[in-house]
Structure formats: structure tokens, C-alpha cells
Amino acid sequence: MNGGDDEDVVVVAASSGDQSPPLQWRFSQVFGERSAGEEVQPVDMISAIEFDHSGDHLATGDRGGRVVLFERSDAKHSSGGRRDLEETDYSVRHPEFCYKTEFQSHDPAFDYLKSLEIEEKINKIRWCQTANGALFLLSTNDKTIKYWKVQDKKIKKICDINADPSGAVGNGIVANGVPEALRLPVVTSHESSPVAKCRRVYPHAHDYHINSISINSDGETFISADDLRINLWNLEISNQSFNIVDVKPEKMEDLSEVITAAEFHPTHCNMLAYSSSKGSIRLIDLRQSALCDSHSKLFEEPDAAGSKSFFTEIIASVSDIKFAKEGRYLLSRDYMTLKLWDINMDSGPVSTFQVHEYLKPKLCDLYENDSIFDKFECCISGNGLRAATGSYSNLFRVFGVSPGSTETATLEASRNPMRRHVPVPSRPSKLGSILGRAGGSESTAGVDGNSSNALDYTTKLLHLAWHPNENLIACAAGNSLYMYCA
Amino acid sequence: MAMVDEPLYPIALLIDELKNDDIQLRLNSIRRLSTIARALGEERTRKELIPFLSENSDDDDEVLLAMAEELGVFIPFVGGIEHAHVLLPPLESLCTVEETSVREKAVDSLCKIGSQMKESDLVDSFVPLVKRLAAGEWFAARVSACGLFHVAYQGCTDVLKTELRSSYGQLCQDDMPMVRRAAASNLGKFATTVESTFLNAEIMTMFDGLTKDEQDSVRLLAVEGCAALGKLLEPQECVARILPVIVNFSQDKSWRVRYMVANQLYELCEAVGPDCTKTDLVPAYVRLLRDNEAEVRIAAAGKVTKFCQLLNPELAIQHILPCVKELSSDSSQHVRSALASVIMGMAPILGKDSTIEHLLPIFLSLLKDEFPDVRLNIISKLDQVNQVIGIDLLSQSLLPAIVELAEDRHWRVRLAIIEYVPLLASQLGIGFFDDKLGALCMQWMQDKVYSIREAAANNLKRLAEEFGSEWAMQHIVPQVLDMVNNPHYLHRMMALRAISLMAPVMGSEITCSKFLPVVVEASKDRVPNIKFNVAKLLQSLIPIVDQSVVDKTIRQCLVDLSEDPDVDVRYFANQALRSIDAAAVAQS
């Protein structure tokens, strides 16, 4: 785990068979689709999406504190059903999901000491190790993390008890209500239904808003990060956590940087990465010391001299980071770009992808209406070849991230994902965004600039997730969950 | 058949409530499982109750935990040892639930039952159970299995033993870190039952694997196993196989592993013997005392006395003492604090001369530490130093430290020092105490924080116990009685509190002559809080003073208070009056 791969800094694709043809994305499913003219209730807005490790389950959280679970339905009944026969003309079967259950994870609360309302909005969901056929997940709002168990419970009917209140005859009860002989109740179970139960609550550890939770590969610990601190928990102990990162300056006036996201390495139990509002990503080693205020590696974009503007620092803020499955590559999203980093190379990102370069002239407007502070998430495919992230007008973009790939796609979260493709000339931008850091911006700015008139800042696609082992993206557009496959 | 001695109806209710919707009722029924079993009789318990419980494993954790516990002592109710195997199925299913505490209890109970079972039954039912769990689909079952091998292994055939060993070896390499952790923490227990030939070969191979695990949490638990394994091995084997591992661990990249080593090292010394301790473990320990990570130094500093006990004084002075000197000015207050809490124990090991030469300077510098916890830790072990170097040498530096702590900004620090005052008093003697500390004790009585005032009152009582009532009459009582006239009602109340605590110590005579008049006077206070506290105080004085005094003085005073305009005063006065009557009844 800590061997030779530290040395080879040169980026080489894992295998030569990577250059798969560009994916043809198509609409797969939608849940909670908005009918024409229907107004979206704020509480129904999806605020978190996460697939479990197997990809058989998907969880979404919303602003109303609810968690909804979906279960993969295609793999289960694959033996000669009518649907299967109908689908035989497809060469590849695509995963399909069905609604499983939902539960109220968080409720609005009030912090009386600080006179602050605590929203019920689910900020993050993370799946834990499955055990005994039950599903386990962590969900968090701004302040409190909860550990949930969801299990199919049989609905039980109990009969044949000793003291029958109805006094039915022939039940072994004599007239005065005293049983002749003792009998054990008989339990008959009928159909089962999923039941969610809160197993643990991890409260009162964060002074600021929790932005991330992440589970360690050791299966027993997890971290929670807020603006200034990262805490380490044991899943089984809810009344104590250890502070491992604290960036709070002595005087709050000196505050210049906050933590925006944090994630454990997928296999190395001692490594975790966190990103900051200044655009840097730090890798820390829990083995080094108990309080990891000094990072072991720092990933930053080398300063492009002379190009600074008022917005430079704001748009540099990293809104999300994700490790690729093997843990060597790390994906990060800031306001304008998606970046791929090799954790063995801290001189700069391996590649940079422009997400919506045409917004560059509009930063002033975006600042005025606060859109510039939107936190877009990003996700990477299970094979590490592609990554996706969201934009405005319910658009999201998919990039081929393997070396040499020029694949890009722009999709709209709707039943017809390619609808906007013709009017929005995103195709020419492919080349530009891939060649990225170099001359790309000139070639795209002009073309894309035309289309941005139609841009709708209120419909933004912030949350999305990539299925761990299929080409399937689930993304949230308002209150609707759209899935696309390729 | 059901025994008819016990009334059936309550039992029937208990049985029904095993499936009640109310968890408290289910819990209650499970707690009385033995009653149910007795009523059903052994045969029906075996054939009906136990199978019924086996299907109950999806209940709430509290119920399952109670069930796991009850079943561990259920052998008598199923008809004795020869039927013990019927208890295994319900416990087996409890071994697979995901709640750790339930599984642990179920494993405990299975071990209890298994260790009583006959060998043939063990082979027929217990060993297959362990094998099933070890091959379980979900990690929870495999985790539980790890804790059962040491029971299953004894009394097995050789073929089965081989199978069990290889099965344990697989658990040590399980995909799930949870399982490897369980395997690591149970390895020592399992090893005690394994024959020494296999110990050297197979168990040690498993151990080596665990010590190289990629998960820190597994390696941590492997460290814990070092000492247990080391004690099982022949000394030379131990030196050859355990020692290098310990030395490696003491330089592990993970501070948590080094922390564990620091905590365990003195136990490991016993395992490897004095020679290797000298050559290998002392350097390892010295490294830990100088570790980069404060947490490791805290652990190491906390064990410094225990470690030195294993060494001869020369080695301790030569190798450990220089580190201790460094630690006494460590940058982390917690390291200094850990050191301060144990350093006194080194005095007897080093002897008087070395203590004065080497330890005293360290000791004095810790006593002047800027961090109150460090100073407190030193003072709390004062008796140990006193035995070695005597109080005279100390008193000069001790007193400023105490005075400073007594006036510390943090009330918890003040509270802590108050609690040591009786100890100090006994060590320092009356003379020293009168001069320096007497005033402090009265000062605390007027502290701004209630807990401090309360502790101060208690302290006065303990001083009265320590030095006797005559001394108290001279040095405490006048000041306390003075306080009754304090303009602040809280201070007047504190005086009453001190009186109520001291009265039993001072005895009837002083109570009647000194305390009672003051108390009666206080009953005319204008603050109701004072008055009802007088009522409470008078009630507490009843058993101390003579009946005549009660009748003459106390009762009259209470009667007056019972007509007070304030409802609380009347309430407590009436309560006290009732207890006078009750005492009178009890006497007659």
C-alpha cells in the first residue's frame, strides 16, 4: 500500500485499452418528474445523491430532511421474464432502479444557546458496510450526523396468546380468565417491508456547518468536516469524537480560508484529502500525528501571473472532491472547472476541463445574484475513465479524463437529454475544453457566449453521482431525479 | 409438564408479553425468562421456549442483549449439562446481529456454556457452530466466531483441531477489517489453548501476518497481543519472534501504533526478560519518551514509574532520568501533566539520595508549572514524596504553589486543591497548617462559586475530624460563628451549612453551647431562605443533642417558624416537627 507507486510520477494510463469510443448517453429513468406548470416546493429539492458500493442502491436526501432509497430492479428478476424478452434487442442491459422506501432523517431544530435555526436539509449521505442483509447509511444536516439501518422487516401477527382479551372459547381459557395450560404465542409472518431505524446520533461536535462526511476503509471510523474543523468518529461511539484538523485562526478576523470538502482515501486508512475555499487540496496522513494541522501534500494550481481579478479567488474555491476508485486520482470541482489530480504529482492538475467557459464574461452578474457561490458536485466513473459535473439550465457535462481522450458531452436533465445540443454549440468546445489550459478559451468563448442568453441561473444541477460499475449517472434537477445511461 | 406450585396467570402474562408491542414489557419478560422456564418445565423449555426464542433475533437491541445474557445461565432450566446444546441455536443467531454489544454478550454466554459442555457434545454441536459462524456470509458472524475458538479447540480431535486452526488462519486474512480486528484481539486467548508445536508455527505465522496488516486498526490490536503471546512462548522463542516485532512497532509509521506500544511496553518487558529489556526495550522506550507525537509521549510518560520498577536504579538513572528531565519541560502541558501524576512513584525506586539529587529539581519545576493540572497532580501524590524526602525540604516551594492554586481563576482547580487540603494537613502537621493554610480555608467559605463554598464547608468538617474538636474550637468555630452575621445572606447560609456538617463531629456539648444559640438567632433572619435552612438544620441536630434540649429549645424555635408567613419556611419547620415526634415515638 505504500510501495513503489509513489515514485512513478509520469502519468500513464492504467491499460492501453482505455480509448473506448465516446459514450452515447440516453435517458433511462426519472423519479419525481415535475409536471408542466407544477411549482417545486423548496422542501422537495434534492440536496444529496449517493450510490452504495455495490451500485444496487441509490439514496437521495432533500431539503425537507427526507432520505429516499432506490433499489436496482433489473438484476433481480432476470430470468426469462417478459420484459427481458422485450429487451433482448439491446446488446447491453442497463441498470434500472425502483423506489424502495423513504424516511424522515432530520427535522428542523433550534439551537437555543445560539438562537439559530438548524435546517433539516440533508447535506450528505454516505453508505456504510452492509451487514446481515440490512443497509446502513450515514446522513447529515448542518449539525448532526445520524446512522441509519434499513432492513426488510416482516410484518408479524401474533396469535394464540394465553390471556385472550376477547375471551374467545376454545382458546384454552376457562371462564375466570385463568389459562388451563401455558402456551407460547405463535408468530406468523406475512409480507415484509423495509423499515428504517436510527441506530446512532452523533451530535454537538460542530460549531460550523457540516459540509462532508466520509467513511474510512477500516469500516469502523468516519470523519465529518465543517468550515473550520474535521472530526474523527468511531461508528459505534456517538458521544465522543477527535478533532484531527483545525484551521480556525486565533482571531476570526485573520480567517482567510475555510474547508469546503473532505474525503478519505478509498483504500489507505491513514490518508484523507480536504479542499479549501482558496482552491487548494491538502492530503494528510493520520499516522503522522494526532492533530494533522500540517499536510503531507498540497495540491494547488500554479498561479497564472497577471490574470487576477476580483473574482479569481471566489471562483477558485473547491466545491467538491472525489477520489477515483483506486485512490490514485482525485477529482475536484471549482466554479468554472473540473480538475483531475494525480496524488503522486503535486505540481499541478493532470488535466483541467472547462465546465462553462461562456460564463466568464458574466461573473459580475453571477456575483450579484450570489450564483457564484453555488457548490457544484462532481463524480467519476467506476473505471476512472470519465467524470461528470453539473452546470446551469439543468445541464451537466461528461468528460473523458483518461490521457488523450477528447470525449465530452453536454446533457440536459430532462427526458430528452440531447434536446439542447443543436442550438447550443457545445461540440466545437470539445476540443477547446480538452486542450484546456492552453488556447482553448479563445475558440470556445465566442461560440458558447451566444447560447448563454438562454441560461437559467435558478435551475442548476448541483448534485449528481456515477454508478460504481456501470455507465449510469443519477442527477438531481430540482425535486426530480434523472438517470442517464450509456 | 407445568408445575402447579406457581400461579399460572402471572406466568401466562409474562409469556404473552414476550411479544408485546411495548419494549419495556418484553424486556421485563426476558429478564424473567428463568421464571417462565421453571413454570414450563425442562422439557417444554427445551422443545418450545428455546426454539421460540431462536426466532426472536430481530427484536430491539436491548431485548436481544438481555436475552443473550439470560441464556448464558440457562443450563439448569433445560435439564442440565447433557441438554446444554439446545441453548446454542438462539445464541448462534444472536452472534450474527450487527449490534456489537449483543454479539459480545452472546459470545460470552456461548463461552460460558461451551466450557461446561462434555467433550463429545462440544464436538457434536459447539465445534460445528463455530465453523458455521466462521464461514458466515456476513462479517458479523465471522467476528463472533473469533471469540469462540478457544473454547471449541479444547477437547477436539486432532483432525478438528487442524481444521479449526486453518479456519482461524483464514479469519486473520479476511477481506473485512472488522474480522481481522476480532481475530487479532482474540489471538492471544486462542493461543493459550493451542499446543506449543503449533504455537511456534501456525499461530506465530498468523501473528506475523496481522502485524503487517495494512489497516492501522488491526496492527494496533496485534500490539496488544504481543504481551499475551510472549508469555506463552519459551523465553528464547519470545526473544527471537516477539522482540523484533515490538521493536519494529515502536518505530511504526503510525503514531497510534507507537502509542499502543508505549502503553504496553512494561508488560512486554516481563515477557522478554531482564536481559533483552536492557539491550532492546530500554532504547525503544527512550525513543518513545522522545517521540514526535505528544500523544505517544503522554502514554510513555504515564508509564515511566512502572517501567523503572522493572529496571535497576542505575539503568533508570542512566537512561530514563534524562528523558524525564526533558519531559518535565515538554511543550505539551498534557505530557507534563501525565509525568506529574506518576513521577512521585519514582522516588522509592531511586532512593533518597538520587531522589534529592535528580528528582527534586524536576519535582520543583513541575510544582511551578504554569498549567494548574500539572501542579495539582504533584500535590495529589504528596504523601509519596513526603515519605522519601520529608516535608521540610518541600514546604518552601510547596506553599506558594498551593496558595496560587487556591486562588486559581478556574473554580475546578480551586475545587481540586480543596479536596487535597485534609491530605496536606495530615502531612504537614498542625503547626505548619495553622500558619499558612487556615486563612485559605476560611477564604474559600466566601468563594463566588457555590461548589467551592460547599467543598469548603466539607473541608472544615474533615479538618475537625483530622485535628480534633479542641483544635476546631480554637481555629474554626469562632470564624464560622462570625460569618452568621455576614451582611450577605449566602454567606450566612454557608455558616449554617458548616455548622450542620460540623455538629456531628463536635459533639453534643459544643453543639448545645456554641452552635444552637447562633442557630436560634438565625431563625429570626429576614431572609426566608435562611429560615427554612434553619429548620432543616434543626432537624439534623435532633439526633445529636439531648431530648431535653430538643423539647426546650429546638421545638419552640420550630413552632415559631411553622407560623412564618413564607410557605417554604412553614413546610420545612413542620417537617422537622414531625421528625421530632417520630423520634419520640421510636424511643418510647
Side-chain angles (χ1 to χ4, degrees), chain A residues 1-2 129-134 136 149 151 153-154 156 158 160-164 177-187 197 199-200 216-220 232 236 244 267-270 285-291, chain B residues 2 8-9 11-13 15-16 18-19 21 36 39-40 44 48-50 52 55-56 58-61 96-100 103 138-141 176-178 181 213-217 219 252-256 258 293 295:
Chain A
M1 59 183 285
N2 43 18
Q129 189 60 53
T130 313
N132 298 350
F136 292 86
K149 173 188 178 183
Q151 190 176 30
K153 272 220 164 174
K154 286 186 180 129
K156 287 196 170 158
I158 292 140
D160 214 11
I161 57 172
N162 290 297
D164 192 334
V178 175
E180 295 165 338
L182 294 171
R183 272 176 296 96
L184 288 164
V186 175
V187 181
K197 203 174 161 194
R199 298 300 304 250
R200 273 180 195 91
N216 193 302
S217 58
D218 67 8
E220 76 170 348
L232 179 71
E236 302 210 337
I244 51 173
T267 53
H268 296 186
C269 62
N270 55 310
D285 182 355
L286 295 179
R287 286 178 184 165
Q288 237 158 36
S289 65
L291 192 63
Chain B
L8 280 184
Y9 190 68
I11 306 280
L13 260 188
I15 293 180
D16 290 349
L18 282 171
K19 282 289 166 195
D21 284 339
I36 296 175
L40 286 172
R44 290 193 68 193
E48 294 175 42
L49 182 63
I50 300 296
F52 172 78
E55 290 177 5
N56 202 27
D58 62 345
D59 208 328
D60 283 300
D61 294 332
T96 63
V97 302
E98 76 278 348
E99 179 57 40
T100 311
R103 285 202 309 268
W138 300 105
F139 71 87
M176 290 295 211
M178 299 84 164
R181 279 196 290 274
D213 200 282
E214 56 168 16
Q215 288 288 346
D216 292 353
S217 52
R219 291 207 309 282
D252 197 280
K253 270 192 278 185
S254 167
W255 68 268
R256 261 172 260 230
R258 299 197 303 274
E293 173 56 43
E295 297 285 339

Side-chain angles (χ1 to χ4, degrees), chain B residues 7 27 55 155 469:
Chain B
L27 206 51
E55 290 177 5
S469 58

Side-chain angles (χ1 to χ4, degrees), chain B residues 228-384:
Chain B
L229 277 179
K231 284 171 190 161
L232 296 173
L233 292 169
E234 298 292 315
Q236 68 271 28
E237 277 294 319
C238 180
V239 170
R241 310 213 46 176
I242 302 281
L243 194 64
V245 177
I246 300 171
V247 172
N248 253 335
F249 271 148
S250 75
Q251 300 170 69
D252 197 280
K253 270 192 278 185
S254 167
W255 68 268
R256 261 172 260 230
V257 172
R258 299 197 303 274
Y259 173 90
M260 278 304 234
V261 177
N263 261 329
Q264 304 271 323
L265 200 63
Y266 72 96
E267 274 187 57
L268 300 168
C269 293
E270 289 171 4
V272 299
D275 292 339
C276 290
T277 298
K278 213 180 292 177
T279 56
D280 294 289
L281 292 185
V282 169
Y285 185 63
V286 167
R287 265 198 306 276
L288 292 170
L289 285 170
R290 292 180 169 145
D291 200 278
N292 283 331
E293 173 56 43
E295 297 285 339
V296 177
R297 295 198 303 276
I298 292 171
K303 300 289 181 201
V304 84
T305 298
K306 277 185 173 167
F307 195 84
C308 286
Q309 275 164 353
L310 299 170
L311 304 175
N312 56 38
E314 294 86 67
L315 270 180
I317 292 171
Q318 195 191 337
H319 295 289
I320 308 297
L321 209 57
C323 299
V324 170
K325 267 181 204 156
E326 288 169 28
L327 290 177
S328 70
S329 55
D330 195 282
S331 58
S332 161
Q333 58 195 34
H334 303 290
V335 174
R336 301 196 303 273
S337 181
L339 181 70
S341 65
V342 296
I343 191 174
M344 313 284 41
M346 282 182 76
I349 301 167
L350 299 181
K352 186 166 181 174
D353 293 339
S354 300
T355 299
I356 293 176
E357 190 189 335
H358 301 290
L359 218 47
L360 192 62
I362 298 175
F363 173 73
L364 293 178
S365 90
L366 289 172
L367 204 50
K368 293 188 194 103
D369 200 283
E370 56 176 355
F371 187 58
D373 268 15
V374 179
R375 283 172 275 157
L376 269 178
N377 282 345
I378 290 282
I379 289 172
S380 67
K381 298 283 164 55
L382 198 73
D383 43 341
Q384 288 178 9

Side-chain angles (χ1 to χ4, degrees), chain A residues 249-269:
Chain A
E250 226 149 82
K251 279 184 261 153
M252 279 305 260
E253 299 92 76
D254 300 339
L255 184 69
S256 64
E257 190 174 19
V258 297
I259 298 168
T260 54
E263 197 179 46
F264 265 121
H265 189 280
T267 53
H268 296 186
C269 62

Side-chain angles (χ1 to χ4, degrees), chain A residues 132, chain B residues 92 95-96 126-149 163-164 166-172 174-176 179:
Chain A
N132 298 350
Chain B
E92 181 176 350
C95 277
T96 63
F126 198 88
V127 175
L129 172 145
V130 175
K131 287 203 288 193
R132 270 197 305 278
L133 287 174
E137 182 191 359
W138 300 105
F139 71 87
R142 305 200 294 277
V143 166
S144 296
C146 295
L148 295 169
F149 274 74
E163 219 176 301
L164 285 177
S166 91
S167 166
Y168 202 90
Q170 268 160 21
L171 291 171
C172 289
D174 198 279
D175 282 344
M176 290 295 211
V179 179

Side-chain angles (χ1 to χ4, degrees), chain B residues 283-565:
Chain B
Y285 185 63
V286 167
R287 265 198 306 276
L288 292 170
L289 285 170
R290 292 180 169 145
D291 200 278
N292 283 331
E293 173 56 43
E295 297 285 339
V296 177
R297 295 198 303 276
I298 292 171
K303 300 289 181 201
V304 84
T305 298
K306 277 185 173 167
F307 195 84
C308 286
Q309 275 164 353
L310 299 170
L311 304 175
N312 56 38
E314 294 86 67
L315 270 180
I317 292 171
Q318 195 191 337
H319 295 289
I320 308 297
L321 209 57
C323 299
V324 170
K325 267 181 204 156
E326 288 169 28
L327 290 177
S328 70
S329 55
D330 195 282
S331 58
S332 161
Q333 58 195 34
H334 303 290
V335 174
R336 301 196 303 273
S337 181
L339 181 70
S341 65
V342 296
I343 191 174
M344 313 284 41
M346 282 182 76
I349 301 167
L350 299 181
K352 186 166 181 174
D353 293 339
S354 300
T355 299
I356 293 176
E357 190 189 335
H358 301 290
L359 218 47
L360 192 62
I362 298 175
F363 173 73
L364 293 178
S365 90
L366 289 172
L367 204 50
K368 293 188 194 103
D369 200 283
E370 56 176 355
F371 187 58
D373 268 15
V374 179
R375 283 172 275 157
L376 269 178
N377 282 345
I378 290 282
I379 289 172
S380 67
K381 298 283 164 55
L382 198 73
D383 43 341
Q384 288 178 9
V385 201
N386 198 8
Q387 283 159 14
V388 182
I389 50 175
I391 206 72
D392 293 339
L393 210 51
L394 275 180
S395 49
Q396 302 160 335
S397 32
L398 192 61
L399 196 70
I402 294 172
V403 172
E404 213 173 297
L405 286 170
E407 290 163 351
D408 195 281
R409 203 155 63 74
H410 300 287
W411 67 267
R412 284 177 203 280
V413 175
R414 299 201 294 276
L415 186 63
I417 191 77
I418 293 175
E419 272 157 16
Y420 292 121
V421 163
L423 171 74
L424 285 171
S426 67
Q427 294 291 318
L428 297 168
I430 290 185
F432 186 83
F433 183 84
D434 284 350
D435 293 347
K436 320 282 183 188
L437 293 181
L440 275 178
C441 291
M442 293 316 293
Q443 185 185 319
W444 284 322
M445 284 288 285
Q446 303 193 7
D447 198 281
K448 281 195 293 251
V449 177
Y450 170 76
S451 296
I452 300 294
R453 299 195 299 271
E454 174 70 23
N458 240 315
N459 176 46
L460 292 182
K461 177 191 112 181
R462 286 167 69 188
L463 287 175
E465 283 168 349
E466 179 73 37
F467 293 146
S469 58
E470 207 168 298
W471 175 87
M473 270 307 289
Q474 279 180 9
H475 295 92
I476 305 180
V477 174
Q479 283 100 316
V480 171
L481 294 182
D482 239 21
M483 256 177 78
V484 176
N485 300 319
N486 193 296
H488 197 313
Y489 89 97
L490 283 175
H491 294 163
R492 297 201 294 281
M493 211 140 86
M494 224 47 235
L496 294 177
R497 176 78 186 132
I499 289 173
S500 79
L501 286 166
M502 282 163 66
V505 183
M506 304 299 283
S508 155
E509 197 183 318
I510 292 175
T511 302
C512 292
S513 62
K514 293 283 176 189
F515 292 155
L516 204 51
V518 176
V519 176
V520 170
E521 194 56 36
S523 75
K524 301 183 181 76
D525 202 288
R526 64 199 155 76
V527 179
N529 282 24
I530 300 285
K531 287 188 281 188
F532 74 66
N533 273 298
V534 167
K536 284 200 230 173
L537 170 53
L538 287 173
Q539 183 176 357
S540 75
L541 294 182
I542 295 165
I544 300 168
V545 299
D546 287 343
Q547 186 62 32
S548 60
V549 181
V550 173
D551 291 336
K552 207 170 64 193
T553 324
I554 295 184
R555 185 185 289 275
Q556 186 50 51
C557 182
L558 285 171
V559 168
D560 291 346
L561 286 173
S562 72
E563 286 154 11
D564 194 272

